[in-house]
Amino acid sequence: MWKTLNFVIGALRRIGLPTTIRTLMYSLRRPIYDARFGEAELPDGTWITPGPVESYEVDGPTVTLRCVNASIRVEALSEDMFRVRLRPDGDFPQPFSYAVARDDWEPVQTEVFEDAGDIVLRTGQLACVIGRDSGRVSFKTPDGKVLSSDEAPMSWHEGGDVALHRSLQPGESCHGLGQRAFGLNLRGRCYMLWNCDPANYDRGDDPVYYSIPFYLGVLADGTAYGLFFDNSHRGRADLGAARKNRLTVSFEGGELRYYFIGGGTVEAVLSRYTWLTGRMRMPPLWALGYQQSRWSYVPDSKVREIADEFRRRRIPCDVIYLDIDYMDGFRCFTWDRRKFPDFPGLIRELHDKGFHVVTIIDPGIKVDEGYDVYRSGIERDVFLKYPDGTYFTAPVWPGDCHFPDFTSPAAREWWAGQLDDLIGAGVDGIWNDMCEPVVFALEGDPCPTIPDYVRHYMEGMGGDHAEAHNVYGMLMGRSTLMGLERLRPGKRQLCIVRAAYAGAQRYVSSWTGDNRATWDHLRLSISMVLNLGLSGMAFTGPDVGGFDGVTDGEMFVRWMQLGAFLPFFRAHKISLMPPHEPWSFGQPYEDICRDAIETRYRLLPYIYTLFAEAATDGQPIIRPIFTLDPDPAWREVDDQFMLGADLMIAPAPDAGRRERGVRSPPAIWYGATERTRDDGGK
Ligand code: MIG
């Protein structure tokens, strides 16, 4: 039934309808859980393994193993990080990566020796052991403790898939992978590595917007290790679904190349992972404040009214967001001159009142000869094409669009250059939406996007969308940031995306997409932000209040009281739903909202310090309780969390609750608002 409805909606969209009807239909769209997603099987057919090691060569910290069917290269890149590559052809060309931020590895002392039929490459902190007969790889601490080992040899499929099979240890909890609509411990399920706009998702739907091929395992004793797969193809991470004690990560193409980081604290692993893939830049201070958004504040008088209400009611607010209706017919980089007769003037006025302004942009550029952005995109040849050289065209908000190829430096340049008008008008930051990328589809596709075979430039190497898909959002954000930095050199920037890839933290921050106004979504936003933080993406947060659906006063204030402690603190709402500003629900809700927001501002020196830790060392801003105490009892706990190392937050979990139980790891805990003391350990 949903399939049919989606079909009808898609078809109607293509014809073009008034915005109101379109947005109403947007709310009706539902995800369709498709067998392709979730517990997917690896393809049938022949899988090939390297076979026994015939010989090996040692070159400093690098060991190349020549096996019967393939070569494996293991390199110690630092004391605590190794890279493993599998190459059936035996060649090891310099790898290309959008994620990895450096190739200046630290000098590292290694030794190579043989031990009972195994070949061992060891640093002071980590040993990689390769079985001579099997080609299986495992990692151990110097004292022999196994961190992670191949449960079956690495393998590749005749169709181009590659797979790694590892054992999951008893008591190991599973984290990372970017944004997941699941609790904190991801063990026991299979997840898709494929950025996807699911439209209204629920707990348990997968994939959602933002996937990162970084897995963080935390063993029963608290020892952590990281596995980063540098592969942007569509992939699956099976964390004990098909077999309880097996982790299988596979990709539909590309090289099997992974970085193993181990085995210390979660903190040490994240520090190393972000050393490799880059760290967040400090955002502007105002981006740490409270931010107000909705789809959409139009026309200018509405924006003015919202801004004035904040000041009149003395509710702190730093940023106002303009969603798609500010544009001229959804044409990116323009504004509607009827709804905003003096756009720069309005922004000047908002600046004078102490607000910053962030506008949305989408990747789809309207096919319209009268639109100079479109014309210059055609002239500069920046849009994606089919293999036969015709333009890829698909409908999004403005109707039929072409899409820039952000894997081309020339297209990124061009895109960056389009920001002049918006930034010239005073816009302070950019919100990059739809960058999975999503298109409006005709059939009931759960993740309508650009077809796999559409061509990409891939920095001159040539490739297709199957390979470029997962990096598309990150590169859109990177191009936007390039424009922002050029127009405001030396300034900190706010550049937000909805989907990206490993390493995106060095360009952008994110929000968690279209959630819903339910108590479960409120709770889900905690585990999502936690796992994103454990994937290197520290600066993120949900649409406070819930994007879709009707929020009541109680849920709104509870979400405010949670959002005030999350890194990105912004209320946002779908169009056609009732207003959701802090005063929209009357009293006592307005006062409670003010109180929550003021608490945020009182904590800013502390929160700012946490942002600095994220920027200098890759540490998450909110952290699971288990980072304080390895006891396995904490591994699933995601209804309380740490803001930094010192503040524990326990939000209201559901309707009508005025009290809740809080468990605390062994330590002395002081109440933040009441004079209480608790010795923990419960
Ligand atoms: O197809 O710009 O996630 O925050 O309000 C929907 C309109 C497009 C999706 C974003 C949401 C935004 C909405 N956008």
Side-chain angles (χ1 to χ4, degrees), residues 26 295 323-324 360 397 431 433-434 498 511 514 547 572:
Y26 181 83
W295 176 8
D323 205 333
I324 43 176
I360 200 167
W397 290 104
W431 171 21
D433 192 18
M434 311 284 276
R498 194 169 66 175
W511 92 106
D514 300 350
F547 176 73
H572 182 51

Side-chain angles (χ1 to χ4, degrees), residues 314-326:
R314 307 202 147 273
I315 298 174
C317 178
D318 264 292
V319 194
I320 293 184
Y321 281 70
L322 300 181
D323 205 333
I324 43 176
D325 302 292
Y326 82 89

Side-chain angles (χ1 to χ4, degrees), residues 13 23 26 29 197 209 293-296 323-325 360 362 396-397 431 433-434 436 438 440 498 511-514 543 547 570 572-575:
R13 273 201 181 129
T23 50
Y26 181 83
R29 192 175 142 213
D197 170 5
Y209 306 93
S293 182
R294 90 156 290 150
W295 176 8
S296 301
D323 205 333
I324 43 176
D325 302 292
I360 200 167
D362 291 346
V396 216
W397 290 104
W431 171 21
D433 192 18
M434 311 284 276
E436 295 70 30
V438 56
F440 293 163
R498 194 169 66 175
W511 92 106
T512 60
D514 300 350
D543 285 349
F547 176 73
R570 184 189 74 157
H572 182 51
K573 196 68 174 175
I574 194 170
S575 57

